Amino acid sequence: QVQLVESGGGLVQAGGSLELSCAASGGIFSIGTMGWYRQAPGKQRDMVATITRYGSTNYADSVKGRFTISRNNAKNTVYLQMNSLKPEDTAVYYCYADSRLSANDYWGQGTQVTVSS
């Protein structure tokens, strides 16, 4: 069973930067794509960015050019570098991973990112 633990959230002023990290443990050889989703109060959970095992990335239009996702397979960790943050980026950010061997998806517990104007 894969466990995902996020870190790096917090409070930042608009225009600032934060980096989120997500470390995976347990069953790591089964992990395929990893990524980040976010959920603002009263809204659905939306994809922010994903990265495959081989480094192919995908971004939501709202974060392109500002956020960068990266992955260290040796450390079983995925990162999200967030620059030029806006108040509308405020949300709980969830780490995500899917399995190469089954239909299972895995989620972290979430980390709060708050951007003040």
Side-chain angles (χ1 to χ4, degrees):
Q1 186 76 5
V2 173
Q3 293 86 42
L4 303 174
V5 178
E6 303 107 332
S7 61
L11 173 64
V12 65
Q13 288 188 331
S17 298
L18 280 176
E19 184 180 53
L20 305 182
S21 300
C22 172
S25 61
I28 56 177
F29 294 107
S30 70
I31 293 176
T33 294
M34 298 186 75
W36 294 91
Y37 284 65
R38 67 186 181 187
Q39 188 168 20
K43 296 188 176 181
Q44 67 181 17
R45 188 175 297 187
D46 292 325
M47 186 275 290
V48 176
T50 61
I51 184 167
T52 69
R53 289 174 57 87
Y54 307 104
S56 295
T57 58
N58 185 39
Y59 294 93
D61 288 343
S62 59
V63 306
K64 283 180 180 177
R66 301 188 298 122
F67 292 10
T68 302
I69 190 169
S70 61
R71 179 171 178 168
N72 185 326
N73 289 331
K75 294 185 177 181
N76 307 308
T77 302
V78 64
Y79 306 92
L80 185 68
Q81 177 65 44
M82 305 184 292
N83 298 328
S84 302
L85 283 160
K86 304 176 181 179
E88 51 264 44
D89 294 318
T90 295
V92 177
Y93 283 70
Y94 295 91
C95 181
Y96 162 86
D98 68 14
S99 173
R100 298 183 297 131
L101 306 178
S102 72
N104 291 339
D105 293 336
Y106 305 99
W107 295 92
Q109 80 283 0
T111 185
Q112 177 71 46
V113 172
T114 303
V115 185
S116 63
S117 58

